[in-house]
Amino acid sequence: MKEYIDRKEAISAIREYRGYFQDQKSTDMMLLKMEAENILKDLETFDIVPVVHGKWIYTGKEMWRCNNCDNEIAGYDKMPSEYGVNYCDRCGAKMDEVEE
Ligand SMILES: [Zn+2]
């Protein structure tokens, strides 16, 4: 599985890094950091959206409510996820939270 990092945070971490190469001449250190920044800037970017998790809550008469946005859907005698309705069609929450 791919893992993603925030480019701005990565560049900031490089700029603030004070590690093993701390004893290098400051110009060498600065050049190393600039090279690392340029590598990160050249990498491909992706639009990533955080996953919002939710769950269906039964409200009666085959009605289910999204616990994240209160959207209601009708016509399911069992948990909508059992019919393949795994996302709220209003807020996009992934309905994989379980009752505690
Ligand atoms: Zn929702």
Side-chain angles (χ1 to χ4, degrees):
M1 185 170 96
K2 289 185 177 181
E3 294 180 299
Y4 297 92
I5 58 172
D6 183 301
R7 185 193 329 241
K8 287 181 183 171
E9 286 184 21
I11 289 173
S12 177
I14 288 168
R15 288 179 181 166
E16 294 169 11
Y17 180 74
R18 303 274 184 270
Y20 181 75
F21 297 106
Q22 190 171 347
D23 295 333
Q24 298 279 322
K25 291 180 186 172
S26 62
T27 51
D28 290 344
M29 180 67 162
M30 191 179 74
L31 289 173
L32 279 172
K33 288 181 174 185
M34 288 174 65
E35 289 293 330
E37 284 182 37
N38 288 335
I39 290 168
L40 288 177
K41 288 175 182 173
D42 287 345
L43 292 176
E44 184 179 3
T45 59
F46 303 90
D47 292 334
I48 304 293
V49 177
V51 176
V52 175
H53 297 273
K55 62 185 170 190
W56 295 118
I57 297 171
Y58 190 66
T59 59
K61 298 181 180 175
E62 299 187 353
M63 298 281 292
W64 296 81
R65 180 175 53 82
C66 167
N67 75 324
N68 188 55
C69 73
D70 293 333
N71 180 36
E72 284 196 316
I73 60 173
Y76 297 97
D77 59 342
K78 293 186 290 188
M79 180 77 73
S81 303
E82 293 184 35
Y83 295 97
V85 183
N86 296 315
Y87 294 88
C88 173
D89 62 0
R90 182 196 284 168
C91 73
K94 186 176 183 181
M95 307 310 259
D96 58 358
E97 283 187 356
V98 291
E99 297 288 337
E100 293 174 10

